[in-house]
């Protein structure tokens, strides 16, 4: 990895830490609603069990998301957002 790209990545990680500690505000926020998660799963044409297996999550976690008891966080939230925009690409990438 080139030094310039490494420094950029390192600064990004530091910024993430500042955001997590409440020292800085994120530049943008996307929160998945329960119906968003279910809609993404339906777009992919998957059962809850299949979706959970494909995304590497527990079925109970998926049910909690879909029923609004919990919200996806971190990488799961990002992956769901990408899946909402381009479900076929995500399905293809995860199945390989």
């Amino acid at each position: 990895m080139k030094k310039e790209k490494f420094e950029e990545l390192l600064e990004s990680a530091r910024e993430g830490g500042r955001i997590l500690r409440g020292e800085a505000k994120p530049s943008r926020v996307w929160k998945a609603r329960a119906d968003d998660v279910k809609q993404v799963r339906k777009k992919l044409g998957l059962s809850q069990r299949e979706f959970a297996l494909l995304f590497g999550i527990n079925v109970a976690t998926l049910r909690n998301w879909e029923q609004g008891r919990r919200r996806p966080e971190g990488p799961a939230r990002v992956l769901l957002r990408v899946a909402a925009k381009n479900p076929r690409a995500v399905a293809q990438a995860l199945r390989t």
Side-chain angles (χ1 to χ4, degrees):
M1 177 183 288
K2 294 190 178 192
K3 183 174 171 108
E4 179 182 317
K5 291 294 180 186
F6 177 77
E7 292 297 328
E8 185 178 321
L9 182 62
L10 187 58
E11 178 53 34
S12 179
R14 287 179 178 144
E15 181 180 8
R18 288 191 298 272
I19 291 168
L20 288 174
R21 291 189 301 274
E23 298 168 3
K25 294 205 181 269
S27 60
R28 59 190 165 272
V29 176
W30 181 78
K31 294 191 178 185
R33 298 184 323 256
D35 56 332
D36 292 337
V37 176
K38 190 171 189 174
Q39 184 179 15
V40 168
R41 180 176 61 79
K42 298 244 181 207
K43 274 186 183 179
L44 291 169
L46 300 172
S47 68
Q48 285 183 333
R49 184 178 175 280
E50 293 167 332
F51 187 89
L53 186 62
L54 185 67
F55 277 71
I57 58 171
N58 189 295
V59 176
T61 298
L62 176 61
R63 287 187 186 128
N64 284 333
W65 291 350
E66 289 190 357
Q67 294 171 8
R69 289 191 296 261
R70 305 234 16 195
R71 290 187 178 220
E73 296 179 357
R77 187 176 61 218
V78 172
L79 184 56
L80 285 167
R81 186 171 186 194
V82 172
K85 299 276 185 190
N86 196 341
R88 285 186 181 173
V90 171
Q92 183 180 13
L94 292 175
R95 286 185 177 131
T96 57

